[in-house]
Amino acid sequence: MRPIDFWFSIGSTYSFLTVMRLPVYVREHGVKITWRPFNVRSIMIEQKNIPFADKPSKSAYMWRDIERRAAKYGLSASLPAPYPLQNLALANQVALLGMKEGWGEDYAVATYRRWFQQGEPAGSEPNLSDSLKEIGQDPVRIIEIANSAQIEDALALETEKAKTLGVFGAPSFLVDGEVFWGDDRLDDAVSWARSGRVV
Amino acid sequence: MRPIDFWFSIGSTYSFLTVMRLPVYVREHGVKITWRPFNVRSIMIEQKNIPFADKPSKSAYMWRDIERRAAKYGLSASLPAPYPLQNLALANQVALLGMKEGWGEDYAVATYRRWFQQGEPAGSEPNLSDSLKEIGQDPVRIIEIANSAQIEDALALETEKAKTLGVFGAPSFLVDGEVFWGDDRLDDAVSWARSGRVV
């Protein structure tokens, strides 16, 4: 089976669905997926890809679509969640540090839950520290490292890598050079990883 | 079962997938779906929703995604197809007349096939006349009526109706006041028609 990379940004609305269902999905489907946080906003601004701002009809649809799909997956959500995030970069710098240290997936789930279920924006207080405490991490230590030039640069590098691979939005699944964009393309990506085609 | 309206525009790329697979899909799933052509371009321009122009990364993805999904559905396609269409309005005025006269679905399939498989833009010659001849209709009579103020106004009215219902893109499925946008939401729409939820 080909490896699958899950490129996501804390700040992306549809990534809520994937982040919340992926831990169960990988167990049930027996697949291994690498979580790769990046800064989707900087790519989208650069590519003039502004899907929701100043588009009330499409925005209203997006929230309703997420609401229906969350119900399908058995996820509770209090929508619309506060959007857009003020501290998208920091939220993902923390996630990147967490992926290096081994607690990144738990943090992503915890911070999305607080954002989409309790209405507390990810990347800001109290969400940031409370999510870290919830998963047994020290907010003071982590926020200091996450704000360092080293982690800032590392996120920029990952974002550049995503762009080079053809990623223009989040969530995206990368398999074998193929981009699968959207939570609704997860099955397609897994199919490609297994057989080199979408079935 | 609640009625399902299929709002589509000849000119929309993803509508290719739905138009081509829908005749078989409705038979296999035992559902009834009403085809409603409209002018998606006028809504998208009005709403500043310009998904592909000047967005090479997203455009490249769109064609690749359609290619993979066409293969999944067993549809052949020669991609990218010529895009955007020059005569989108006329293509859909013909479709609207066809829906009134009973040959609209056959025309939509025929014209998409010529557009996506043979590279002839829909709404222009030779696609327009050849598609009509292929389904046993007289191009001279039909193009004259389709160009009349009556049919122009009727398409504008349908487009206004779509916008009022919350449609911002094509294809869209409307069930029970719910919008389901995208070929990949057809199953969700049918699920909603059957049970009032997405399962």
Side-chain angles (χ1 to χ4, degrees), chain A residues 133-149:
Chain A
K133 279 185 250 172
E134 179 189 325
I135 61 166
Q137 298 298 322
D138 172 16
V140 176
R141 179 186 78 85
I142 285 166
I143 292 170
E144 189 181 326
I145 305 176
N147 269 318
S148 68

Side-chain angles (χ1 to χ4, degrees), chain A residues 48 54-55 57-58 61 64-65 68-69 72 166 168 178-181 184-185 188 192 198, chain B residues 48 54-55 57-58 61 64-65 68-69 72 166 168 178-181 184-185 188 192 198:
Chain A
K48 289 166 274 180
D54 205 20
K55 298 185 178 67
S57 188
K58 202 174 175 191
Y61 173 78
R64 180 63 179 144
D65 188 48
R68 289 185 310 228
R69 300 218 129 211
K72 172 183 173 171
F168 56 90
E178 299 279 331
V179 180
F180 295 88
W181 171 53
D184 50 17
R185 290 295 187 276
D188 284 8
W192 197 276
V198 174
Chain B
K48 289 166 275 178
D54 205 22
K55 299 186 178 65
S57 188
K58 200 174 176 192
Y61 173 79
R64 181 63 179 145
D65 187 49
R68 288 185 310 228
R69 300 220 128 209
K72 171 184 174 170
F168 56 90
E178 299 279 330
V179 180
F180 295 88
W181 171 52
D184 51 17
R185 290 296 187 275
D188 284 9
W192 196 276
V198 173

Side-chain angles (χ1 to χ4, degrees), chain A:
Chain A
M1 187 163 164
R2 298 164 182 81
I4 304 173
D5 279 354
F6 166 44
W7 290 90
F8 73 103
S9 256
I10 299 169
S12 141
T13 56
Y14 276 98
S15 293
F16 161 71
L17 296 173
T18 317
V19 163
M20 299 304 284
R21 74 188 180 107
L22 205 53
V24 173
Y25 184 98
V26 296
R27 279 200 302 277
E28 286 183 353
H29 290 76
V31 293
K32 206 179 153 291
I33 294 182
T34 304
W35 294 43
R36 302 189 69 166
F38 72 111
N39 188 330
V40 71
R41 186 180 288 165
S42 66
I43 293 182
M44 293 175 79
I45 289 172
E46 185 184 316
Q47 298 186 354
K48 289 166 274 180
N49 180 10
I50 312 297
F52 303 122
D54 205 20
K55 298 185 178 67
S57 188
K58 202 174 175 191
S59 287
Y61 173 78
M62 178 265 288
W63 290 114
R64 180 63 179 144
D65 188 48
I66 290 175
E67 186 171 41
R68 289 185 310 228
R69 300 218 129 211
K72 172 183 173 171
Y73 298 144
L75 303 170
S76 73
S78 178
L79 303 178
Y83 182 83
L85 291 187
Q86 287 202 326
N87 298 321
L88 185 147
L90 178 58
N92 290 288
Q93 285 160 218
V94 171
L96 189 61
L97 175 62
M99 296 303 160
K100 292 178 196 293
E101 295 192 352
W103 45 264
E105 299 181 20
D106 291 342
Y107 157 73
V109 171
T111 198
Y112 259 107
R113 187 182 294 128
R114 285 170 192 277
W115 179 19
F116 269 63
Q117 295 179 356
Q118 297 169 35
E120 297 172 358
S124 300
E125 298 300 350
N127 183 320
L128 186 51
S129 290
D130 286 350
S131 295
L132 290 167
K133 279 185 250 172
E134 179 189 325
I135 61 166
Q137 298 298 322
D138 172 16
V140 176
R141 179 186 78 85
I142 285 166
I143 292 170
E144 189 181 326
I145 305 176
N147 269 318
S148 68
Q150 194 194 344
I151 297 294
E152 253 183 46
D153 292 352
L155 188 70
L157 214 65
E158 282 291 274
T159 303
E160 196 58 34
K161 173 79 178 165
K163 199 173 66 182
T164 305
L165 291 168
V167 171
F168 56 90
S172 291
F173 307 97
L174 261 285
V175 189
D176 194 23
E178 299 279 331
V179 180
F180 295 88
W181 171 53
D183 174 75
D184 50 17
R185 290 295 187 276
L186 174 55
D187 288 339
D188 284 8
V190 170
S191 169
W192 197 276
R194 291 209 158 104
S195 66
R197 61 206 182 94
V198 174
V199 292

